[in-house]
Amino acid sequence: MKKKKVLFGVPLEQIIKDKELSSDGIPKVVRECCEYLSKYALRTEGLFRVDGSEVEVQKLVNSYNAGKRTDLSKAKDHFVVGTLFKRFLGKLPQSLITKEFYEKAFEFRDAPIDEQVKGWRALLDAIDGGPRQIIKFVFAFLKNVERNEGFNMMSATNLGIVFGPCLIKVESASNIMDMIQKGNELVAQFISHFEALFEVGHDRSLYRYLFIRS
């Protein structure tokens, strides 16, 4: 019998080393959720703000954890897939944006925005290839979502509120609400300044690994 390979709640390093759980360094569930949502759901109002059925989301989690071929096109609706995407990111033992990165990033908070971007870019460049590649992939997708704000009502700020807690885990502290807000703002800024952060200009070929609707 084929050994079960759990995907949710597993360290990122373990996932990207396993070719059955990842593709070109991107976790399978991340790639498949982003491709599905980019192809079918970018213009869905309430995307990510509205949670999908917990029963349906858990069915997909169980399918991925069992190593089954999972067809997201058969999901009940787009909100289920959106919630699945958030669930995977939120279940990582160490958040995609680490506590160390988060703390260093806010050392630039009072600088002019161009200096902030320059500082953030230096921090991103210092990250090992695997995690940095995933961060770039996820934020490229979120940038695509933001580009369709006129339809889905998901601005960079709104996406920051939704994805901040998924991408940055804030430990218990007396000022936890302030730290959460700052984390949300950082995610929003990364979305807004994505092209500059990754030095890709405004070339639409940046999104070659995603489906575009605009």
Side-chain angles (χ1 to χ4, degrees):
M1 181 181 294
K2 185 177 180 181
K3 186 178 180 180
K4 181 178 178 180
K5 292 188 176 183
V6 176
L7 187 57
F8 284 71
V10 175
L12 193 58
E13 296 78 7
Q14 181 178 328
I15 295 173
I16 60 180
K17 288 179 181 177
D18 192 324
K19 292 184 179 179
E20 292 184 28
L21 300 179
S22 63
S23 172
D24 296 326
I26 306 299
K28 180 180 178 182
V29 64
V30 169
R31 184 179 294 277
E32 292 180 356
C33 283
C34 288
E35 288 180 348
Y36 170 89
L37 293 168
S38 294
K39 187 174 183 179
Y40 300 111
L42 287 184
R43 297 186 176 189
T44 300
E45 185 173 350
L47 182 64
F48 298 124
R49 287 200 314 272
V50 178
D51 285 334
S53 161
E54 180 59 30
V55 172
E56 297 300 318
V57 172
Q58 193 57 49
K59 285 180 182 178
L60 292 175
V61 170
N62 293 341
S63 178
Y64 276 105
N65 279 344
K68 296 180 180 178
R69 185 182 294 277
T70 306
D71 185 356
L72 295 181
S73 68
K74 295 181 180 179
K76 182 179 180 180
D77 53 42
H78 303 329
F79 302 119
V80 169
V81 180
T83 303
L84 180 72
F85 179 58
K86 293 188 295 181
R87 181 72 50 84
F88 174 80
L89 295 173
K91 287 289 185 180
L92 289 172
Q94 178 170 280
S95 54
L96 195 56
I97 296 177
T98 65
K99 180 176 181 289
E100 180 183 21
F101 184 101
Y102 166 85
E103 291 176 344
K104 289 181 178 179
F106 272 96
E107 293 178 4
F108 306 103
R109 192 181 189 194
D110 295 327
I113 189 60
D114 58 333
E115 290 299 316
Q116 290 186 56
V117 170
K118 183 179 178 180
W120 296 334
R121 188 165 60 233
L123 292 176
L124 287 166
D125 289 343
I127 297 175
D128 290 338
R132 184 182 186 278
Q133 182 181 359
I134 298 168
I135 290 172
K136 180 177 181 180
F137 189 94
V138 168
F139 277 95
F141 167 68
L142 294 179
K143 186 64 179 179
N144 270 340
V145 176
E146 186 230 21
R147 288 174 66 245
N148 286 272
E149 177 190 356
F151 300 97
N152 58 42
M153 307 302 171
M154 294 304 287
S155 63
T157 298
N158 289 339
L159 287 168
I161 292 170
V162 171
F163 280 93
C166 301
L167 295 170
I168 304 174
K169 291 185 178 178
V170 177
E171 298 177 359
S172 298
S174 58
N175 61 337
I176 188 169
M177 295 308 297
D178 181 58
M179 293 176 68
I180 289 173
Q181 181 178 347
K182 289 178 179 178
N184 296 349
E185 290 173 359
L186 183 66
V187 170
Q189 291 280 39
F190 274 28
I191 294 170
S192 295
H193 301 286
F194 176 81
E195 289 91 346
L197 279 172
F198 289 94
E199 298 183 292
V200 296
H202 297 281
D203 184 356
R204 286 171 64 90
S205 68
L206 160 69
Y207 309 105
R208 61 190 178 280
Y209 42 76
L210 297 175
F211 293 91
I212 303 299
R213 288 183 65 182
S214 59

